[in-house]
Amino acid sequence: QNQRNILERYAREHRFPNPRFYVDDGYSGGNFNRPGFQQMMTDMENGKIRTIITKDYCAIIGLNQKDLENQGILA
């Protein structure tokens, strides 16, 4: 819910008129086999999405904290 609140505020402040949220509660962000992510990709491919905004880009590129630590990005 906190992430959604942050994104809703960002969308409002930057005048994105109709934000839609793709939620994958209970799924690992370390892979792309998540229903919300798959729906977002389908909507994007079908031209239903103009902009994707994420609080944490790791969810989009499929990394988790352990991946980032292994790459020396986080300690």
Side-chain angles (χ1 to χ4, degrees), residues 7-74:
L7 292 169
E8 282 180 329
R9 183 175 46 237
Y10 182 90
R12 186 176 53 252
E13 289 172 358
H14 291 85
R15 299 184 183 138
F16 289 96
N18 299 307
R20 179 173 179 183
F21 295 88
Y22 297 86
V23 179
D24 285 314
D25 288 339
Y27 288 84
S28 169
N31 68 63
F32 300 120
N33 190 21
R34 307 182 316 258
F37 184 84
Q38 292 300 316
Q39 183 63 55
M40 181 184 71
M41 295 304 291
T42 297
D43 288 351
M44 181 184 66
E45 290 167 356
N46 291 329
K48 295 180 179 179
I49 296 175
R50 294 180 55 189
T51 304
I52 296 173
I53 302 169
T54 179
K55 179 185 168 287
D56 185 342
Y57 76 93
C58 294
I60 296 296
I61 62 174
L63 295 176
N64 59 32
Q65 181 154 345
K66 191 66 173 168
D67 294 326
L68 295 173
E69 290 170 358
N70 290 338
Q71 294 179 23
I73 297 171
L74 290 177

